[in-house]
Each structure stands twice: as structure tokens, then as C-alpha cells.
Amino acid sequence: MMRVFAFLWLLTVVAGLSANRLQAQQSSAQSANETRRTAPAITPVLIGGQKYISHSDVRSYFGLTGQKIDGDKLELSNAKYSLIFRHNSQSSSFNNLRFVLSKPVIKRDGKFYISLLDCHKLLDPVLRPQYYPQLKRFNTVILDPGHGGSDAGATRAGVRESDLNLKLALLLRQKLQAAGFNVVMTRNEDKFLTLAQRVEIANGYNNAIFVSLHFNSAQPMARGIETFTLTPNGTTRSELLPGAMNGKMLGNNNDAANIALATALQNKTLRSLSADDRGIKRARYNVLCNVRHPAVLFVGGFVSNAAERQLISSPEYQQRMADALCEGIRLYHRYTRN
Ligand SMILES: [Zn+2]
């Protein structure tokens, strides 16, 4: 249930960003007067060359009156929100939904410090909805079943990710069409497509969102659902990837919409499937960088975990996952405006 709240809260969030005080604070001292006029002052502290905000500034800035410190764990709360941070960790919890921070939280001399970038790109959109622009209405959903053809993706015990991705996409297409959406598939058969081809197909449409569908493999215990969105400009990625790029990408134009869409999908699927919550994560995957629509990369489970492999191969579970994804997209759609 808490996840529903977390979700609604985030989506109300994304109902609108324009002037952003943290951003102003970050980019120049010029706006300091305006910042003071409208919100409690915050003073970034340099730690290891990065700007951080102390937890007491975070509390006063976001109106989080409750505070509990238990060793390396910090909990900030008010009537609506409960946020949990840990020293030396990028994992945070907002109303029981897991978010992966761009930089680890640091505890020093009894105080916790949260990076300015995470305050700006995660806390602010989530806790201060009034500063967000309307999310743009869409009528087309572009589904991108990952891999295909000579590229099977993650495989284990005869189960091929490329097949699972396509099955899920075909089920989801049906449900989205029944809900009135126009659906475009980057592939609807077992064929190879380059990442650039997927991007090119997606960018040929207007008023659209982009959902790339994947499963994964890792060590045998790893399982659960995770949703990736593009790393905000200026932050690090959640997971280390070779060849990752820096700087602003086309997809960064949709930072707020990206995290709203990711939260919708992560919430609906976790609630419906009772899967492990691996979190909403940041990455600079090619499709997330270069697609010009709000875009996410959803990972529905792990073929390397024997129990989960059985689940994600079962038609009944695939139906439920497609239903939950459809519900997530419809929920996100309800928060968009023309
Ligand atoms: Zn994949």
C-alpha cells in the first residue's frame, strides 16, 4: 500500500518543473536572493570535490520535520513521506519504494550529507511537485523488445531473453491497443536490430513514450524487477557500464517524465507480481540516451535464478506482467496533459 502512496506522490510530482531552486543554487550564486526569498537557505558543502547538502538543510528545505538516526541509517519524515538513507550507500527508500541515488550518502561528524545532484534530480521532483511542468500527453507507445535474431540476450537452461522480451511485448501490445493506445513495435519477430535502428524507429513518431523490455542474468541469487531511466546530466550512472558517456543527452530533456514513467511501471509491476524490488536505477543505455520521448528500460526478472526463470517463462505470469505494465502506462497517462 505504501507503494501506492509513493507512486501517487511521485506522479503528482511530475505534474509540473520549471524554476528549480536547487538548480539555481547549483548553477550560480546570482539567484541566491531569489532562493532566500522563497525557501530556506541551503549551503552546499564540498566533499571530495562534489557538492553535498547536510541533512539538516534537507530537512528544513523539504519540510521533513521527523528525524531518526540509528547508527549509519537516517530516516527523515513528515505526515506524507518517509525517506531512508544510509551512510556510504546509494540505495535509498522513499515511502518503501527503492531508488538508487547517483552518489553515495556520506556521514561525517554525526551529520549526513546528500549530494546536491540527488537533491535536485530526485528529491526535488518528488517532494516539490509544484515546480514541475505538465507532463506531455501521448497516444503512441513504442515497445522495444530487447535483442533478437543472432543476439539472444541473457540465456540460461534453454530460456532466451530475446524470446521472453518479444512474448511480453506482444502481450502488452494487445492490452495497450485494447486500452486505446497506438502501439509501435521496434520488432515483432525474432530478428536482429541495432540499437541505432531502434532509436531511428522510435524517433520517427510524435506524442509517444518508449518502453524497452528486457530480462537479465547475474549470479544465481539475483532476482526481481528493476527499471532504468537515463542518468541525469552531471551525475554518475547507477551501474558501471563500459563505454558510458558523459554530458547531456537528448533523453535528458525528459528527466522528470523519465522518472515518473519508471516509477509508474516499477510500482504497478511490483505490487501485482510481488517480485523483489531492485529499484529505480540510472544508466546511460544507448536507447535511453538517444530516444527523444520519455523512455525507460524495464527488466522483468532474471533467467539466472532458477525459481524466477520458471515464473517468467510461464504464460500466466507473463500475462500478469503485461497487465501490470499496461496499468502502469495508463496511470502515467492519467497524469499527462495536452
Ligand atoms: Zn537485455
Side-chain angles (χ1 to χ4, degrees):
M1 205 53 189
M2 286 300 281
R3 280 183 180 137
V4 185
F5 295 136
F7 168 70
L8 289 175
W9 129 74
L10 198 138
L11 278 192
T12 8
V13 152
V14 192
L17 192 145
S18 49
N20 182 310
R21 285 176 219 143
L22 281 169
Q23 189 169 35
Q25 178 97 26
Q26 184 185 354
S27 55
S28 85
Q30 285 175 352
S31 48
N33 286 338
E34 192 186 341
T35 303
R36 266 197 296 278
R37 195 167 63 238
T38 50
I42 49 169
T43 315
V45 177
L46 276 180
I47 301 177
Q50 302 288 339
K51 289 179 180 172
Y52 279 80
I53 307 289
S54 73
H55 80 264
S56 45
D57 274 1
V58 168
R59 282 185 66 192
S60 57
Y61 190 85
F62 292 108
L64 298 161
T65 47
Q67 169 180 312
K68 214 163 86 185
I69 294 179
D70 180 7
D72 281 348
K73 180 180 160 192
L74 167 70
E75 184 173 357
L76 301 178
S77 60
N78 62 18
K80 274 161 109 178
Y81 310 125
S82 163
L83 283 61
I84 295 173
F85 302 96
R86 282 188 171 77
H87 168 56
N88 212 14
S89 171
Q90 282 173 265
S91 184
S92 65
S93 156
F94 288 18
N95 286 14
N96 275 354
L97 190 69
R98 185 171 175 240
F99 286 82
V100 178
L101 300 170
S102 294
K103 295 185 190 303
V105 168
I106 292 169
K107 186 185 182 191
R108 201 179 257 194
D109 301 329
K111 268 194 173 183
F112 287 81
Y113 293 88
I114 295 151
S115 81
L116 181 59
L117 281 161
D118 284 312
C119 289
H120 170 216
K121 291 291 186 179
L122 186 61
L123 272 64
D124 210 31
V126 162
L127 300 176
R128 296 158 52 80
Q130 64 273 33
Y131 290 92
Y132 277 72
Q134 298 296 324
L135 294 180
K136 195 166 168 286
R137 183 54 55 103
F138 63 95
N139 49 29
T140 296
V141 180
I142 300 157
L143 295 179
D144 174 45
H147 313 280
S150 55
D151 171 18
T155 56
R156 209 59 59 94
V159 175
R160 290 156 40 105
E161 182 200 344
S162 56
D163 295 336
L164 294 177
N165 296 340
L166 183 58
K167 274 184 198 158
L168 181 60
L170 290 169
L171 291 171
L172 181 52
R173 174 172 70 176
Q174 240 171 39
K175 294 171 196 295
L176 288 169
Q177 284 172 338
F181 291 103
N182 175 37
V183 179
V184 173
M185 307 266 289
T186 55
R187 67 175 177 101
N188 53 21
E189 57 185 335
D190 185 20
K191 73 168 182 190
F192 178 80
L193 279 178
T194 64
L195 297 173
Q197 285 172 317
R198 295 170 198 266
V199 169
E200 196 185 327
I201 293 169
N203 287 350
Y205 292 86
N206 291 318
N207 304 320
I209 62 168
F210 179 89
V211 179
S212 193
L213 298 170
H214 287 255
F215 291 84
N216 209 342
S217 69
Q219 44 86 8
M221 297 303 289
R223 59 178 296 157
I225 287 174
E226 58 197 9
T227 304
F228 288 89
T229 65
L230 178 58
T231 310
N233 188 22
T235 69
T236 56
R237 55 207 178 277
S238 296
E239 304 220 322
L240 295 171
L241 290 173
M245 294 158 281
N246 289 307
K248 186 176 174 183
M249 306 289 158
L250 188 59
N252 285 125
N253 292 332
N254 300 309
D255 276 346
N258 292 342
I259 199 157
L261 178 58
T263 307
L265 299 189
Q266 185 76 1
N267 257 292
K268 283 290 182 184
T269 50
L270 285 174
R271 286 180 56 225
S272 164
L273 302 169
S274 305
D276 287 5
D277 180 3
R278 298 178 59 85
I280 291 170
K281 301 181 174 181
R282 308 292 202 169
R284 288 195 173 97
Y285 294 126
N286 188 295
V287 288
L288 299 182
C289 290
N290 297 311
V291 165
R292 62 188 183 88
H293 315 294
V296 296
L297 189 147
F298 174 82
V299 177
F302 284 69
V303 298
S304 43
N305 178 283
E308 196 160 71
R309 182 171 63 243
Q310 204 174 354
L311 268 180
I312 59 185
S313 304
S314 96
E316 189 259 337
Y317 192 83
Q318 290 165 355
Q319 286 282 357
R320 284 171 51 210
M321 186 173 284
D323 275 327
L325 286 168
C326 183
E327 283 308 303
I329 289 167
R330 292 180 70 182
L331 191 48
Y332 172 76
H333 187 258
R334 287 206 285 279
Y335 288 89
T336 60
R337 297 285 180 274
N338 282 318

